[in-house]
Amino acid sequence: MLKTQEISINVGPQHPSTHGVFRIVLKLDGETIVDAEPVVGYLHRGIEKLAEDRTYTQVIPYTDRMDYLGAMSYNLGYVQAIEKLMGIEVPERAEFIRVIATELSRIASHHVFLASMCLDMGSYTGWMYPFRDRELVLELLEMLTGSRMTFSFMRIGGVADDLPEGFIEKTKQYLPKILEGVDEEEGLIAGNEIFIARTKGLATVSVEKALAWGWGGANLRASGYKFDLRKNRPYSVYDRFEFDIPTGANGDCWDRFYLRLAEIRQSVKIIEQALEMIPEGPIMAKVPKVIKPPVGEVYHEVEAPKGILGYYVVSDGSTKPYRMHVRRPSFINIGMLKELLIGTKLADFITIFASIDVVLGDVDC
Amino acid sequence: MNGMGLLKGLAITFKELWKKPVTLEYPEKKEKLPPRFHGSFTLYSEKCIACGLCQQACPNKVIKVGSIKDENNKRKLASYEMEMKYCLFCGLCVEACPTNALVFNQEYELAKYNVEDIKLTLFKKEQITTGEGSENV
Ligand code: SF4
Ligand code: SF4
């Protein structure tokens, strides 16, 4: 009898396919993964603790630094949580600006997902095209906020700045280009036989399993469950827009990939409507100079690009949060990784990891 | 048929051959930045009233405003220093300034060879910098 021996290999933390600094120890029997031990924490900065020593406004820049690829949703979730706690009514125009900015940021995040999944699987061309289009989005966001990634754009009660001159025209000019780019990316990758063979049927997640692990956002929808906070529990002014919620069928790597392409199209649709409907008016509510929420606690959820993002904030009536906890979607997504990996081939590890869309700044916080 | 997808992809990349390149030959050529760009900082020291609001607004204790009292017991700016290595480029300081003395500029090549050079001294009064009469707000 030939005896086989298991070997352990260490991937990361400094590995280009780990989307940050992530380490995983894989146990292999030949080519098959029999066990996997993810090790997180290499990017831990203690943001939740830092927040306890900052005033409510000063926390905003730190929220950017969790998921730096789609930072606007993190701004939005935080300021809305505090507004809920204080009972602040945000002016209409500010809400529309928030929606436009958040959706732009979502598109940029999905572009990175598409690109990095292609790159991880060895397609350099597939990486270039989404990044080319992401540049358009970042240009718009830079024009609006002054920054390309960590915006710190929203304020408790509104937004930091009004739309700059020429922003609406430029966005209207860029949106068709983004759609065109999505078509190109679809043509490039979605028809590619090698890509399909490597992703279809790989790491399928059933709806029950996805729900049991707390998955949300595009990963959950890829399994075929139609749930989007923007539609199911609308916040801000999302109830005024018409858009579809695309869903997948099997919940495999392919569905998770293809869904992002579809979601970019929907986001473009939302921005187009918002640009038409945006009213004139103030961009900041009347808020006290020193922000001092009443004693109490609040939990607020928004739909971030990577899943459901929740902020839990406890106030003791002072100018600083007593405790802040963030439910970060990437951390939830990565939880299932071990289960997904066991039984697959080593070469598929990279694909599976890329397909669950995590960013390590968001995993470690 | 197998291979059709590959051909379709090749057709798309082939089209790109006739388009303008999307890349820019940095550092020979530079991107035009929007006016709101969060770059480095400029201080119009004549406008600054040394109120220290920027220092208070900063989440990361980047800014240090030094002030002195002049003969009429009026507060005046003595020094203005920023530890740029801690800066988040969030703009809360610029927003807090009541006289618009502190603004962002378009400078973004901020990497330095030595750690000491990272510190940004935007204002320093010749004679009195520390010691008697100087206080941090
Ligand atoms: S940009 Fe933000 S971190 Fe930097 S000095 Fe101003 S307030 Fe402080
Ligand atoms: S807030 Fe403006 S005026 Fe006040 S110390 Fe800072 S730069 Fe000077």
Side-chain angles (χ1 to χ4, degrees):
Chain A
M1 257 306 267
L2 202 66
K3 252 188 80 181
T4 57
Q5 202 183 2
E6 286 180 357
I7 58 162
S8 297
I9 66 161
N10 175 66
V11 184
Q14 257 86 15
H15 189 278
S17 78
T18 59
H19 303 199
V21 273
F22 172 65
R23 178 174 167 231
I24 187 162
V25 185
L26 299 170
K27 215 170 251 157
L28 300 176
D29 179 8
E31 252 192 285
T32 313
I33 300 171
V34 291
D35 197 12
E37 198 55 60
V39 187
V40 297
Y42 289 92
L43 208 55
H44 176 70
R45 292 143 296 172
I47 289 178
E48 288 177 3
K49 193 73 194 165
L50 281 171
E52 292 169 17
D53 198 36
R54 304 287 187 275
T55 64
Y56 282 95
T57 307
Q58 285 177 346
V59 174
I60 296 169
Y62 293 89
T63 62
D64 286 327
R65 281 153 178 83
M66 283 182 262
D67 177 5
Y68 34 79
L69 300 174
M72 211 52 104
S73 302
Y74 284 68
N75 273 199
L76 180 69
Y78 174 73
V79 294
Q80 285 201 325
I82 307 301
E83 283 156 10
K84 208 168 166 182
L85 188 61
M86 297 177 70
I88 295 173
E89 196 72 45
V90 179
E92 288 257 296
R93 188 175 173 83
E95 293 279 25
F96 275 86
I97 297 176
R98 282 179 178 186
V99 167
I100 294 169
T102 312
E103 290 306 315
L104 282 173
S105 175
R106 178 191 311 277
I107 295 175
S109 170
H110 282 354
H111 275 142
V112 177
F113 169 84
L114 299 172
S116 59
M117 183 149 172
C118 291
L119 184 68
D120 287 354
M121 291 175 65
S123 159
Y124 194 74
T125 314
W127 179 74
M128 273 320 230
Y129 280 74
F131 261 74
R132 176 197 64 187
D133 299 335
R134 178 173 176 255
E135 202 53 41
L136 301 173
V137 184
L138 292 190
E139 213 177 288
L140 292 173
L141 284 168
E142 191 182 28
M143 190 176 171
L144 177 64
T145 70
S147 304
R148 287 162 60 87
M149 278 168 88
T150 48
F151 312 107
S152 307
F153 180 60
M154 298 192 192
R155 297 287 178 271
I156 296 161
V159 288
D161 261 313
D162 207 342
L163 297 181
E165 212 177 305
F167 180 82
I168 294 184
E169 292 75 37
K170 199 164 178 181
T171 314
K172 279 187 181 156
Q173 195 190 330
Y174 277 7
L175 289 180
K177 283 195 200 171
I178 294 168
L179 285 179
E180 221 173 278
V182 174
D183 289 340
E184 276 190 357
E185 282 139 33
E186 184 167 353
L188 258 183
I189 310 154
N192 188 308
E193 286 82 3
I194 303 169
F195 190 87
I196 294 173
R198 285 190 62 187
T199 51
K200 273 232 161 106
L202 181 64
T204 35
V205 179
S206 64
V207 174
E208 295 76 42
K209 194 167 158 189
L211 286 174
W213 281 89
W215 273 18
N219 281 351
L220 174 62
R221 292 192 284 274
S223 302
Y225 191 76
K226 209 168 182 163
F227 182 82
D228 189 322
L229 279 179
R230 290 174 294 172
K231 263 256 154 56
N232 293 57
R233 219 186 297 150
Y235 50 90
S236 195
V237 284
Y238 274 110
D239 48 351
R240 307 202 197 161
F241 305 117
E242 247 173 72
F243 60 100
D244 301 324
I245 310 172
T247 50
N250 307 314
D252 52 9
C253 290
W254 166 259
D255 276 343
R256 286 194 282 275
F257 174 82
Y258 196 70
L259 201 72
R260 261 74 177 196
L261 279 173
E263 286 213 339
I264 293 181
R265 296 199 175 99
Q266 296 306 322
S267 290
V268 170
K269 220 164 140 188
I270 295 176
I271 299 170
E272 274 170 353
Q273 293 172 49
L275 288 175
E276 293 302 329
M277 287 156 67
I278 187 165
E280 291 296 323
I283 53 158
M284 269 301 269
K286 286 218 160 53
V287 287
K289 255 222 167 79
V290 180
I291 291 181
K292 246 184 176 178
V295 181
E297 52 185 52
V298 68
Y299 182 70
H300 185 71
E301 284 180 328
V302 295
E303 182 84 21
K306 294 180 170 59
I308 295 170
L309 164 75
Y311 278 94
Y312 173 63
V313 183
V314 182
S315 158
D316 59 357
S318 70
T319 56
K320 295 169 181 174
Y322 177 74
R323 175 82 169 92
M324 180 174 95
H325 177 71
V326 193
R327 180 208 194 269
R328 286 122 34 218
S330 296
F331 184 67
I332 311 277
N333 291 348
I334 214 170
M336 211 202 283
L337 185 64
K338 178 175 175 174
E339 200 156 303
L340 288 177
L341 286 178
I342 291 176
T344 59
K345 296 275 194 293
L346 174 63
D348 291 334
F349 154 66
I350 302 283
T351 316
I352 296 171
F353 184 61
S355 81
I356 58 173
D357 196 10
V358 298
V359 55
L360 266 288
D362 196 27
V363 170
D364 288 340
C365 176
Chain B
M1 202 185 79
N2 250 1
M4 279 315 283
L6 282 176
L7 285 179
K8 196 174 168 201
L10 277 178
I12 289 169
T13 45
F14 187 70
K15 261 196 284 175
E16 199 68 26
L17 260 183
W18 315 107
K19 290 190 193 156
K20 259 194 5 220
V22 291
T23 46
L24 188 84
E25 280 165 28
Y26 179 82
E28 281 80 33
K29 293 197 187 101
K30 284 183 179 171
E31 199 79 70
K32 202 174 160 281
L33 297 167
R36 279 183 194 173
F37 183 73
H38 287 187
S40 189
F41 297 90
T42 304
L43 179 78
Y44 296 106
S45 51
E46 68 285 353
K47 279 198 214 163
C48 178
I49 51 172
C51 63
L53 285 179
C54 48
Q55 182 179 324
Q56 273 168 35
C58 179
N60 237 5
K61 301 196 173 78
V62 174
I63 305 174
K64 217 168 167 188
V65 183
S67 67
I68 44 163
K69 295 252 170 75
D70 68 2
E71 51 280 6
N72 305 327
N73 215 10
K74 238 184 108 206
R75 208 187 296 131
K76 274 177 75 184
L77 185 69
S79 66
Y80 198 100
E81 287 167 341
M82 295 178 85
E83 282 291 351
M84 291 300 281
K85 58 177 180 261
Y86 300 129
C87 183
L88 306 165
F89 299 94
C90 60
L92 290 178
C93 50
V94 174
E95 221 174 275
C97 180
T99 61
N100 291 334
L102 186 69
V103 291
F104 278 115
N105 61 29
Q106 307 257 312
E107 198 67 47
Y108 56 88
E109 289 160 334
L110 303 178
K112 294 282 180 329
Y113 196 79
N114 294 314
V115 177
E116 308 86 65
D117 300 337
I118 298 174
K119 189 165 173 177
L120 201 62
T121 307
L122 291 177
F123 186 77
K124 195 151 214 170
K125 206 162 186 160
E126 293 311 309
Q127 304 93 14
I128 319 156
T129 47
T130 51
E132 232 188 354
S134 162
E135 62 172 300
N136 278 326
V137 189

